[in-house]
Amino acid sequence: MPSSPTPSPTPEPSGVRRRSLLGAAAAAPVLASLAGAGSASAAPVASATAGPAGGPRALPGGGDLGPNVIVFDPSTANIQGRLDEIFKQQESAQFGTGRYALLFKPGTYSGLNAQLGFYTSIAGLGLSPDDTTINGDVTVDAGWFDGNATQNFWRSAENLALVPVSGTNRWAVSQAAPFRRMHVRGGLNLAPDGYGWASGGYIADSRIDGTVGPYSQQQWYTRDSSVGGWLNAVWNMVFSGVEGAPAQSFPEPPYTTLETTPVSREKPFLYLDGDEYRVFLPEKRTGARGVSWGNGTPRGTSLPLAQFYVAGPDDSAATLNQALEEGLHLLLTPGIYHLDRTVGVNRAGTVVLGLGYATLIPDNGVTALKVADVDGVRLAGFLVDAGPVNSSTLLEVGPEGASADHSANPTTVQDVFVRIGGAGPGKATTSLVVNSRHTIVDHTWVWRADHGDGVGWETNRADYGVVVNGDDVLITGLFVEHFNKYDVQWNGERGRTVFFQNEKAYDAPDQAAIQNGSIKGYAAYKVGDDVTEHEGWGLGSYCYYNVNPSIVQHHGFAAPNRSGVRFHGLLVVSLGGNGQYECVINDTGSPTSGTDTVPSKVVQYP
């Protein structure tokens, strides 16, 4: 890249068209799974077997991490070759079956460029990012897609220190691609080579010593981090608890900046204590600002791997439930898990941690996973993919009517992503339902597919994306797209959202298909009529009705007109004039107009 790039912060409208025309490259051939050399090993993964009395034998904790968890140490031969081999398979395998976790033991590595393709996670195995240093890069670019990064989904980097070769690391991603607990000893470029469009993204608990350059990134959320500078904004850049963040300036430039994050608790992570694998559980922070690991060892507790059932994709839902009932946590190793019944998390403090985008698919219309109304459950790092038979819900946090107070020890849902269609037929009436009070959802992308296989207005029907019924729920980093009705419906009291990114469904056939009684279209974000307190910061909704560009959406946001229901930094935008909004929120805000992709903004509401 040039040493002093100066692209326009607002590229030409023709580049904004996002993903609707991009489906041809979506499905790549499924290649044979890479396996074997370099994988972590201990005892073999166990499955339930018959005991002496014919009942299931107790399941062991711990075990082998499986062939698709590749563990490196500084003495490993030909690390670059192994990285390149996995990248070659995964680079364009957007809806393939490969799943990989690349883990680096503490130490120093030099001369590496870890290019990350789909369903690939890279992470250090130290307690601090600085325990594992790569003198080199962890790169995401968009060469596979002609320089357009708007489909660079489902990949992650965690818990590493990077010393980029050029001084700047490239991380050109879009949704479901978290950058967590990273220390970049240099700058970070969030755009692809050539500065084509990207539609990310999310940074948390990270330190970037140099400047972050979003360039063509349409929107971004950064939480509890430290940056040396921030170069520009296109539509919607949101910061909470970020040292060095730009000052609040929405609407121009469109920076929404909160000094602190109200409540946060970092994602659990796997690390090595000597030769023993453990899972670290960071403690809850209130009014958080800056990284959690800045003064050495992070604060929290840890669990030995022996307290986890190390699951593989051949394990049944019955086996996963048995492990949970026996008091084990779940570590989901990379792969695709088919579920013929719901996995039930009923014990307080249970951890369900996925590696390498482990994917849960309900095969027969069941809910993939349900959490009881208990304290301190942690769900992290996996993908739920709807099955061909309609599920009423895909993931439920708390049962209907849940009312227990979890303020001291909330349930957290982090880097848990949901997909309906794209990889094949899928249907679900509602994707994610949050009933438990005080739940923290920290970075999710809930996506009704607009390209790939099994896609169409009724083919991958999904009416609601996220429904929040519980009180006192906080969501930091909410990405929800393309649902047939409300993308987000929030019925609980005292809900808060910091950053929201949305696109209305591209594929509505006509105005009648989206009509909501007397209202033109369902809002992207709907606060229930009876709610008295709610607050949101940095929320954007976009329309791209490419099947029928004449469709009109009345507003992106709908909420009761009460003093306790407040929004800061709202925008709607029509992508290239394919459909229009009449208002931003309720009946307030200027309409979008013409083919100019220029947002209409509301600074405060009411």
Side-chain angles (χ1 to χ4, degrees):
M1 88 181 197
S3 57
S4 300
T6 55
S8 167
T10 310
E12 291 300 312
S14 62
V16 188
R17 294 186 297 161
R18 291 291 308 264
R19 299 188 287 269
S20 64
L21 305 181
L22 310 181
V30 177
L31 303 178
S33 178
L34 299 169
S39 63
S41 61
V45 175
S47 298
T49 56
R57 183 176 299 154
L59 295 170
D64 185 89
L65 298 180
N68 287 28
V69 175
I70 315 299
V71 179
F72 302 103
D73 66 46
S75 67
T76 303
N78 194 25
I79 297 175
Q80 187 64 54
R82 193 79 167 104
L83 297 174
D84 291 346
E85 183 184 7
I86 294 169
F87 177 65
K88 183 179 180 181
Q89 175 181 315
Q90 298 301 113
E91 179 183 13
S92 59
Q94 183 173 172
F95 298 113
T97 57
R99 304 285 187 275
Y100 292 94
L102 311 175
L103 305 183
F104 285 75
K105 293 183 179 181
T108 301
Y109 302 77
S110 296
L112 297 181
N113 181 18
Q115 300 182 81
L116 299 187
F118 287 96
Y119 313 109
T120 305
S121 298
I122 189 170
L125 286 169
L127 261 182
S128 165
D130 289 323
D131 292 341
T132 310
T133 298
I134 292 178
N135 291 308
D137 296 82
V138 171
T139 301
V140 178
D141 206 346
W144 74 280
F145 207 50
D146 297 325
N148 184 326
T150 59
Q151 290 186 31
N152 280 352
F153 314 139
W154 304 305
R155 62 201 76 196
S156 67
E158 300 183 53
N159 206 27
L160 291 165
L162 304 178
V163 184
V165 170
S166 71
T168 300
N169 189 77
R170 186 184 300 280
W171 185 256
V173 298
S174 286
Q175 288 81 358
F179 197 81
R180 285 186 183 268
R181 292 178 55 79
M182 296 289 287
H183 184 188
V184 181
R185 299 177 192 161
L188 189 63
N189 182 345
L190 303 180
D193 185 28
Y195 304 99
W197 278 108
S199 181
Y202 175 92
I203 294 171
D205 202 23
S206 294
R207 177 177 291 145
I208 292 89
D209 294 344
T211 297
V212 179
Y215 303 109
S216 54
Q217 278 284 354
Q218 294 161 336
Q219 66 278 312
W220 198 277
Y221 174 52
T222 307
R223 178 183 64 71
D224 298 356
S225 293
S226 173
V227 299
W230 194 274
L231 189 62
N232 72 288
V234 177
W235 293 340
N236 192 30
M237 300 287 164
V238 180
F239 307 84
S240 67
V242 178
E243 298 167 345
Q248 169 72 32
S249 59
F250 193 93
E252 190 57 43
Y255 294 130
T256 300
T257 302
L258 289 72
E259 285 296 306
T260 62
T261 303
V263 187
S264 59
R265 189 174 68 190
E266 299 303 331
K267 179 184 172 185
F269 61 92
L270 190 69
Y271 75 103
L272 275 172
D273 181 8
D275 293 329
E276 179 190 9
Y277 285 101
R278 299 180 69 89
V279 173
F280 193 81
L281 307 177
E283 71 174 15
K284 186 186 74 168
R285 297 200 289 169
T286 56
R289 182 172 174 83
V291 299
S292 69
W293 45 272
N295 296 316
T297 303
R299 298 176 65 89
T301 59
S302 73
L303 298 169
L305 195 62
Q307 293 184 22
F308 284 77
Y309 179 67
V310 180
D314 291 337
D315 281 318
S316 66
T319 299
L320 301 181
N321 281 325
Q322 182 188 343
L324 292 168
E325 290 162 6
E326 291 176 0
L328 293 170
H329 307 276
L330 292 181
L331 185 72
L332 305 174
T333 64
I336 296 174
Y337 297 69
H338 285 271
L339 307 177
D340 63 354
R341 66 192 73 179
T342 299
V343 175
V345 178
N346 300 313
R347 188 180 73 257
T350 299
V351 179
V352 180
L353 176 60
L355 301 178
Y357 287 82
T359 302
L360 308 179
I361 302 179
D363 285 330
N364 54 358
V366 299
T367 299
L369 192 148
K370 292 184 179 182
V371 179
D373 194 22
V374 295
D375 271 359
V377 171
R378 305 185 196 223
L379 309 179
F382 56 89
L383 172 64
V384 180
D385 213 348
V389 178
N390 186 73
S391 294
S392 60
T393 60
L394 292 173
L395 174 62
E396 293 183 21
V397 180
E400 185 176 353
S403 59
D405 186 323
H406 303 296
S407 55
N409 191 8
T411 285
T412 47
V413 182
Q414 299 176 284
D415 299 347
V416 173
F417 307 116
V418 180
R419 178 173 66 193
I420 300 94
K427 290 187 177 184
T429 304
T430 305
S431 292
L432 169 61
V433 180
V434 181
N435 293 316
S436 286
R437 294 180 62 196
H438 303 102
T439 298
I440 300 171
V441 179
D442 175 44
H443 190 221
T444 187
W445 183 37
V446 182
W447 185 56
R448 175 182 167 264
D450 60 273
H451 62 268
D453 293 333
V455 170
W457 183 250
E458 296 293 344
T459 305
N460 61 331
R461 182 83 192 186
D463 283 350
Y464 306 102
V466 176
V467 175
V468 179
N469 297 316
D471 293 341
D472 307 292
V473 171
L474 170 66
I475 304 185
T476 52
L478 178 60
F479 300 74
V480 189
E481 295 188 302
H482 305 152
F483 286 83
N484 296 77
K485 292 185 178 179
Y486 291 125
D487 297 275
V488 175
Q489 184 167 3
W490 204 302
N491 302 314
E493 287 287 355
R494 297 175 298 282
R496 293 175 291 182
T497 296
V498 184
F499 182 88
F500 172 66
Q501 184 266 322
N502 165 263
E503 286 181 346
K504 294 304 299 174
Y506 292 171
D507 54 349
D510 50 42
Q511 190 74 42
I514 66 162
Q515 194 69 15
N516 180 15
S518 62
I519 300 172
K520 299 172 185 175
Y522 288 80
Y525 189 107
K526 163 70 173 175
V527 179
D529 295 340
D530 296 330
V531 171
T532 61
E533 293 183 55
H534 187 90
E535 196 159 9
W537 296 263
L539 288 76
S541 177
Y542 324 141
C543 72
Y544 184 68
Y545 288 115
N546 65 320
V547 172
N548 189 334
S550 69
I551 289 175
V552 175
Q553 176 87 20
H554 181 60
H555 48 216
F557 303 90
N561 286 303
R562 295 191 178 97
S563 60
V565 179
R566 304 185 301 275
F567 290 92
H568 317 273
L570 294 170
L571 67 92
V572 297
V573 61
S574 167
L575 305 186
N578 290 273
Q580 302 291 343
Y581 292 91
E582 293 178 327
C583 304
V584 179
I585 179 168
N586 295 343
D587 301 320
T588 297
S590 300
T592 56
S593 60
T595 58
D596 292 333
T597 303
V598 176
S600 178
K601 300 173 183 177
V602 169
V603 177
Q604 302 282 350
Y605 187 88

